[in-house]
Amino acid sequence: MSNRTFTMIKPDAVRAGNIGNILQMITDAGFKIVAMKYLHITTAQAEKFYEVHASRPFYGELTQFMSSGPIVAAILEKENAVADFRKLIGATNPAQAEEGTIRKKYAASLGENAVHGSDSDENAKIEGEFYFSGIEQF
Ligand code: CMP
């Protein structure tokens, strides 16, 4: 069990003005921000980040959306970070997300679901290293 996970506040939530609200929910839940960036990725970068989904029918839609505007990328630290963060964000489809979760509050649809959270310790490390070098993590 690792104590780090990786998140992105996606373009829909940034456009809706919810960066502050979402970061507040994250820190209120006991996560420490150990790295953070505000950036607009290219479609090619989104394709690289989500390459595990390359064969899925939604890959084009997903990578266009993720490169449609700025995002906030961050590495978060807490005991049991991956599982606890997935609980905090709620189900991938906001229609199934529980009350009080970030996606229930701020996500509109399966494709535009406000936040990303790593699904395993292994992917948390890969995803964090996609955005941050060692000297950018505190
Ligand atoms: P995320 O946690 O960022 O990881 C992969 C993303 O693909 C997921 O959130 C969803 O936003 C998106 N996704 C999953 N299924 C679909 C779908 N059927 N249509 C569009 N996007 C999807």
Side-chain angles (χ1 to χ4, degrees):
M1 183 179 90
S2 153
N3 62 350
R4 286 190 173 192
T5 191
F6 171 78
T7 187
M8 292 179 286
I9 300 176
K10 298 188 179 187
D12 58 323
V14 173
R15 275 194 281 272
N18 287 324
I19 295 175
N21 293 328
I22 290 172
L23 289 177
Q24 189 71 57
M25 284 183 75
I26 290 171
T27 53
D28 283 352
F31 291 87
K32 180 184 160 202
I33 296 167
V34 298
M36 187 159 68
K37 268 181 195 172
Y38 186 40
L39 76 172
H40 188 161
I41 58 172
T42 64
T43 304
Q45 288 168 332
E47 286 169 354
K48 178 88 186 122
F49 181 85
Y50 279 114
E51 72 184 350
V52 296
H53 296 306
S55 62
R56 311 287 279 274
F58 57 83
Y59 183 62
E61 185 188 323
L62 172 64
T63 54
Q64 284 298 320
F65 166 61
M66 288 304 294
S67 56
S68 68
I71 60 165
V72 175
I75 297 174
L76 306 173
E77 193 170 83
K78 183 183 182 293
E79 205 178 298
N80 201 27
V82 167
D84 283 3
F85 192 67
R86 286 176 75 80
K87 254 182 248 155
L88 176 66
I89 65 180
T92 306
N93 186 344
Q96 282 142 25
E98 282 181 39
E99 283 303 327
T101 61
I102 293 175
R103 284 175 173 150
K104 181 72 182 182
K105 279 192 156 162
Y106 298 118
S109 66
L110 177 57
E112 304 202 0
N113 62 357
V115 281
H116 168 80
S118 303
D119 63 4
S120 65
D121 290 346
E122 188 194 1
N123 283 336
K125 187 168 185 306
I126 293 168
E127 292 170 0
E129 287 173 358
F130 184 90
Y131 283 96
F132 300 100
S133 70
I135 59 165
E136 294 173 313
Q137 301 179 33
F138 305 104

